[in-house]
Amino acid sequence: MSFAITDSVSWVGKIDWDLQKFHGEEYSTFKGTSYNAYLVRDEKTVLIDSVYRPYAAEFVENLKKTVDLDEIDYVVALHGEVDHSGALPELMKEIPDVPVYCSPQCVKSLKGQYHVDWNFVTVKTGDTLNIGKRTLSFISAPMLHWPDSMFCYMDVDNVLFSNDAFGHHLASDQMFNDLVDPCELMQQCIKYYANILTPFSALVERKIEEVVALDLPVDYIMPSHGVIWRDNPLQIVEKYMLWAQDYQERQVTVFYDSMWENTRLMAEAVAEGVRGERPDVAVKVMHAARRDKNEIITEIFKSAAVAAGCSTINKGILSGMTGVLEMIKGLGFKNKSAAAFGSYGWSGESVKILEDWLSESGFEIAAEGLKVNWTPDGEGLEECRKLGAELARKVSV
């Protein structure tokens, strides 16, 4: 499959309808994804990125139907991760001498993964490649989201090839932002940002400011995953700027794990306390072991405050909570309040463990942790409601 986007740019990627997990088992992609590669034709012909490794042979065969491979003058690799570069080894067997333009870090990545020595040409911010009527300008974008990441801007058509930035995991045969459900699209975008780009928010903000300062007209943003932004393309840039600034909504997320439903009762009572104190504040209650962890992270990203609850087991916490907390620690959320709660039978270490983990992850501990022995009674549930009310007061009006 291929299709024309502009007079000079064609999409030559792969839609992966079946993908359910990404980055190993770390990221859920329940809506599938696409691996976007772009063919640019002017006096010179340029291939920008390729597709995920399992589809390498298919990619090369389909590309041959679009262009004689001997007509490709340059390959641009904006990022070395295998979902973008995976088909390059198969392709470069056919065109071994074609120059591969990429960052110095990307050379290390490609050599390390594929053990190749292609005709690499390293580029950095400010470097250009004239291809006829059009010029490609390279912009280094380290840690958005790998050290080797780059953007590429093409004049005349005013296209920003943004690689992972401004992308999302959404499979669609309607490959433009104005043709898909805008609510579903934006949900996949914020999920992508929350789970992947949050640790690099300061870099995101600076890079966007740098690109905006170039005052380049942008009619298209063509990311490496998901649909192409052509209707008000800068709307996603504006969202990134918003998300990069310690983002929060008027929301409290209560996430928990429970052995015998006692901590669940506490979680629901905490949520009642939030609603009772601030009816204008949204509350999400999510079972850490049963709900998708990336969806939980997305709700935490949106929240001003969180409550984490867990039963005690073997002087520790349940494994469902451990996985979520480890993800939270790595993402480095800022400007969020938190409290811990949990039920126990005889030892009760879980609440202190949760508090320590949240504190080490950058959350302000807003209230003393709440432990309830066995099943919470009326008094215990009322204490949970008070905890929820205290968290609600941490949410800005």
Side-chain angles (χ1 to χ4, degrees):
M1 173 183 172
S2 66
F3 63 88
I5 305 170
T6 72
D7 290 342
S8 65
V9 182
S10 296
W11 181 91
V12 290
K14 169 68 178 178
I15 298 176
D16 191 342
W17 298 96
D18 297 330
L19 189 73
Q20 295 292 288
K21 291 289 184 179
F22 206 68
H23 288 159
E25 297 295 312
E26 288 300 298
Y27 189 93
S28 60
T29 52
F30 300 135
K31 302 292 184 178
T33 195
S34 64
Y35 315 111
N36 298 338
Y38 302 99
L39 190 70
V40 179
R41 300 185 205 229
D42 199 320
E43 293 173 19
K44 300 291 186 179
T45 299
V46 184
L47 176 69
I48 298 179
D49 288 327
S50 67
V51 303
Y52 188 26
R53 188 158 44 193
Y55 303 105
E58 178 184 337
F59 169 76
V60 173
E61 288 306 308
N62 286 338
L63 190 60
K64 288 177 178 178
K65 297 173 184 176
T66 305
V67 63
D68 184 334
L69 297 187
D70 290 334
E71 294 179 8
I72 297 176
D73 297 289
Y74 309 109
V75 171
V76 172
L78 295 177
H79 174 28
E81 204 169 1
V82 295
D83 51 316
H84 312 288
S85 69
L88 288 183
E90 188 81 14
L91 175 65
M92 298 308 292
K93 291 176 185 176
E94 307 259 4
I95 50 172
D97 298 323
V98 169
V100 178
Y101 283 69
C102 58
S103 68
Q105 296 88 346
C106 190
V107 173
K108 294 178 183 178
S109 173
L110 295 173
K111 286 185 174 182
Q113 294 179 96
Y114 307 123
H115 309 290
V116 294
D117 192 18
W118 298 326
N119 181 13
F120 290 109
V121 179
T122 59
V123 290
K124 62 185 184 306
T125 297
D127 290 341
T128 60
L129 175 62
N130 182 267
I131 60 172
K133 296 179 181 178
R134 297 164 176 80
T135 298
L136 303 180
S137 300
F138 299 100
I139 304 168
S140 300
M143 302 318 299
L144 272 68
H145 67 115
W146 274 25
D148 66 334
S149 298
M150 284 199 314
F151 299 161
C152 178
Y153 177 79
M154 186 175 73
D155 60 7
V156 180
D157 299 86
N158 302 333
V159 177
L160 179 66
F161 299 100
S162 62
N163 199 258
D164 276 328
F166 314 127
H168 44 277
H169 290 297
L170 176 63
S172 175
D173 62 343
Q174 305 288 320
M175 284 291 293
F176 297 99
N177 70 301
D178 53 307
L179 300 181
V180 298
D181 181 338
C183 296
E184 181 175 67
L185 171 58
M186 204 52 65
Q187 180 60 29
Q188 295 307 314
C189 288
I190 194 171
K191 177 182 175 182
Y192 190 93
Y193 190 98
N195 283 272
I196 294 176
L197 288 166
T198 294
F200 315 118
S201 286
L203 295 173
V204 169
E205 189 173 357
R206 287 201 295 270
K207 184 54 60 176
I208 289 176
E209 289 172 349
E210 176 188 327
V211 173
V212 169
L214 297 174
D215 197 26
L216 301 170
V218 177
D219 292 331
Y220 297 87
I221 295 178
M222 300 188 188
S224 288
H225 297 296
V227 300
I228 295 158
W229 301 90
R230 68 176 181 184
D231 178 40
N232 183 20
L234 293 180
Q235 64 179 288
I236 188 59
V237 179
E238 293 166 0
K239 285 292 186 182
Y240 265 50
M241 282 297 283
L242 184 65
W243 294 337
Q245 297 171 358
D246 300 340
Y247 183 73
Q248 58 177 243
E249 299 176 10
R250 288 192 298 183
Q251 178 172 313
V252 174
T253 295
V254 182
F255 63 104
Y256 73 96
D257 202 351
S258 184
M259 292 177 66
W260 297 113
E261 307 301 324
N262 296 326
T263 303
R264 175 185 63 80
L265 294 173
M266 296 180 71
E268 292 175 354
V270 171
E272 289 174 10
V274 174
R275 285 192 296 270
E277 179 71 18
R278 290 282 303 278
D280 61 320
V281 171
V283 185
K284 300 292 178 70
V285 181
M286 309 184 81
H287 193 301
R290 296 175 184 168
R291 297 291 297 275
D292 176 70
K293 291 178 174 51
N294 302 113
E295 301 291 349
I296 295 173
I297 291 296
T298 305
E299 296 306 328
I300 291 172
F301 175 73
K302 292 160 59 177
S303 295
V306 303
C310 193
S311 317
T312 297
I313 183 171
N314 299 330
K315 298 183 179 180
I317 60 175
L318 299 170
S319 60
M321 281 297 289
T322 302
V324 176
L325 290 168
E326 185 64 29
M327 293 172 72
I328 289 171
K329 189 173 183 179
L331 288 168
F333 292 121
K334 294 180 175 62
N335 194 32
K336 297 185 187 296
S337 301
F341 64 93
S343 66
Y344 69 101
W346 55 90
S347 57
E349 291 87 352
S350 65
V351 172
K352 177 65 164 57
I353 292 170
L354 294 175
E355 277 189 335
D356 289 346
W357 209 316
L358 290 165
S359 180
E360 291 169 9
S361 301
F363 288 76
E364 176 195 351
I365 303 303
E368 184 179 351
L370 177 61
K371 294 196 295 186
V372 171
N373 193 210
W374 303 110
T375 303
D377 57 11
E379 182 179 347
L381 293 174
E382 183 57 31
E383 289 301 311
C384 292
R385 295 185 190 100
K386 290 179 181 178
L387 180 65
E390 193 158 355
L391 282 176
R393 290 191 286 271
K394 293 291 183 179
V395 180
S396 299
V397 177

